[in-house]
Amino acid sequence: MTTDTRRHTYRILLFLILMVLVGLNLRPALSSLAPLLVRLQLDTGLSPLAIGALTTLPVLCLGIFAPLAPWLAKRLGPENTLTLALAALIAGLLLRGFPATPMLFAGTLLVGAAIGVAGTLLPALVKREIPVGADLMTGVYTMALCLGGALGAGLSIPLADLLGSWRLSLISWSLLGVTAMLAWITLMPRTPTGTPLPGGGGSLRQLLSQPLAWQVMLYMGTQSSLAYIVFGWLPTLLQARGYGESEAGWMMGASVMVQLISALGAPWLARFSRDQRPALMLVLGCVGAGLWLLLLGPTSWRWAGVVLLGLGQGGCFSLALTLIVLRSANARLAGKLSGLAQGGRYTLAAMGPLAVGVLLQFDVSLTIVTTALLLIVAVSAIFALLAGRNRRLDVDESGQLVTR
């Protein structure tokens, strides 16, 4: 092995470790809040609609700030931009611990903005650092996201009990953010500030003119809407069905933990077919079955529902990020598609938790809520059939964006 090969291998391994560490921080800020909503509501007196707004706010900010990531990366460099996002995430987590209720909303807003920027940058960095096998490495990154989400959901109540406060439970996740930021600043392999990601990307107007870009975005938006409904409302819905607070939190945490399996395995599964449609239909079917079993099915089948929901959502999210890599010909185009798709995705996803909050404000039954969720699964399947086809965005010799 030559010296250059060793250096390249070291750079890839270091990047993977840092990617996993950063990925672990991009979900606890969201998943740690849901199990605490009942305590939070009792303590603050917020209405179900206000709680719905609280769960919707970070997802909406993800959509608003995700398109800014390529612009910031071009001016500050992708590494510095990610450092800035991690610092904002830490600040937001700390703000949520302040006694004043407006600080809870302000911190949640900042958390959403930070995750929107960081989550958009990482797929493009994966494409840059590991161009060969980027789809499989995206699975590793997704697995880190799922693990972070599982830890946030599962440890939220125990941390609140241990520390004696739901506010301290939320603040405690800032320690993980500090660890990731220090590691990123110290160890990340650098590129010169302002160096663009390799390859041509076409203009935003050209990207918006491509149906494939819209199909990827709409699939990502609908499946993310389901994911953030689960993050924001699943423990509350399970408690409404009669499960205890702690059990509901652990059921959600277990479901997110199961996502690790399909997050890593779905990109491999997708390689067995000419395109990603069979894999997408399989994971969406698991999501629908899991939701039905948990909210309407026999209680004796609840853990089967937990497993199916986890397998489905982990696979849906992993394949959504994989589509960004597979549907773009180079790292620069992947960054632009990521900004567009994830911006639109989070804007659509924000509607899901808010809609559930509105439904609960009117005291509707679990049957109506579950029917609404299954309708979202069906719509997501339509866009998955379109986005999952074997097509790719590329730039031709004249600099025009085309679909091949």
Side-chain angles (χ1 to χ4, degrees), residues 29-196:
L30 305 174
S31 64
S32 63
L33 183 63
L36 298 169
L37 286 179
V38 173
R39 297 190 187 191
L40 185 153
Q41 188 174 13
L42 290 173
D43 191 25
T44 61
L46 292 174
S47 67
L49 189 58
I51 295 292
L54 185 64
T55 60
T56 300
L57 184 61
V59 188
L60 187 59
C61 287
L62 290 171
I64 293 171
F65 286 92
L68 290 179
W71 182 84
L72 289 170
K74 184 177 180 180
R75 284 151 182 80
L76 304 177
E79 296 87 1
N80 291 334
T81 303
L82 192 53
T83 301
L84 181 65
L86 288 171
L89 176 63
I90 295 165
L93 289 167
L94 293 174
L95 278 177
R96 292 205 302 189
F98 279 64
T101 300
M103 291 295 99
L104 177 64
F105 282 86
T108 301
L109 185 152
L110 194 54
V111 160
I115 296 174
V117 171
T120 302
L121 280 176
L122 279 170
L125 284 171
V126 170
K127 187 81 172 180
R128 185 194 76 183
E129 295 291 328
I130 316 171
V132 179
D135 54 338
L136 300 182
M137 292 305 102
T138 301
V140 176
Y141 161 59
T142 310
M143 184 181 68
L145 291 177
C146 295
L147 178 58
L151 292 173
L155 296 179
S156 186
I157 294 294
L159 280 172
D161 292 339
L162 178 66
L163 300 173
S165 167
W166 60 266
R167 295 184 188 275
L168 291 177
S169 177
L170 293 178
I171 288 175
S172 64
W173 294 103
S174 63
L175 297 175
L176 183 61
V178 170
T179 302
M181 186 176 71
L182 291 177
W184 184 264
I185 292 172
T186 306
L187 301 173
M188 178 60 201
R190 296 277 164 179
T191 56
T193 300
T195 299

Side-chain angles (χ1 to χ4, degrees), residues 16 19-20 135-147 257-271 310-311 313-319 322:
L16 282 174
M19 179 183 69
V20 168
D135 54 338
L136 300 182
M137 292 305 102
T138 301
V140 176
Y141 161 59
T142 310
M143 184 181 68
L145 291 177
C146 295
L147 178 58
M257 185 66 75
V258 172
Q259 291 181 20
L260 298 175
I261 301 170
S262 53
L264 189 59
W268 289 89
L269 179 66
R271 285 194 166 193
L311 290 174
Q313 291 204 300
C316 280
F317 184 47
S318 183
L319 288 173
T322 300

Side-chain angles (χ1 to χ4, degrees), residues 175-363:
L175 297 175
L176 183 61
V178 170
T179 302
M181 186 176 71
L182 291 177
W184 184 264
I185 292 172
T186 306
L187 301 173
M188 178 60 201
R190 296 277 164 179
T191 56
T193 300
T195 299
L197 292 166
S203 68
L204 179 60
R205 179 177 295 180
Q206 289 177 347
L207 193 60
L208 288 170
S209 70
Q210 296 296 319
L212 180 58
W214 285 92
Q215 291 157 11
V216 171
M217 181 188 73
L218 290 170
Y219 163 68
M220 294 185 76
T222 48
Q223 71 85 26
S224 290
S225 179
L226 292 165
Y228 287 105
I229 288 170
V230 168
F231 275 135
W233 286 110
L234 182 60
T236 302
L237 295 174
L238 291 174
Q239 289 175 59
R241 200 179 179 198
Y243 297 109
E245 179 188 56
S246 182
E247 184 179 11
W250 280 112
M251 287 170 71
M252 177 180 163
S255 180
V256 180
M257 185 66 75
V258 172
Q259 291 181 20
L260 298 175
I261 301 170
S262 53
L264 189 59
W268 289 89
L269 179 66
R271 285 194 166 193
F272 287 101
S273 177
R274 291 183 58 198
D275 56 39
Q276 287 70 52
R277 286 176 291 181
L280 287 165
M281 292 302 101
L282 177 61
V283 294
L284 282 167
C286 288
V287 171
L291 288 170
W292 184 85
L293 284 172
L294 283 172
L295 300 180
L296 294 180
T299 55
S300 58
W301 284 77
R302 63 187 181 277
W303 288 107
V306 165
V307 172
L308 284 173
L309 181 61
L311 290 174
Q313 291 204 300
C316 280
F317 184 47
S318 183
L319 288 173
L321 292 180
T322 300
L323 286 178
I324 292 177
V325 175
L326 293 179
R327 297 297 173 263
S328 52
N330 57 64
R332 188 177 177 189
L333 187 52
K336 290 193 174 184
L337 179 60
S338 180
L340 173 66
Q342 300 213 57
R345 159 200 177 190
Y346 289 127
T347 303
L348 288 172
M351 299 178 186
L354 183 60
V356 172
V358 171
L359 289 175
L360 295 179
Q361 180 77 26
F362 288 100
D363 200 26

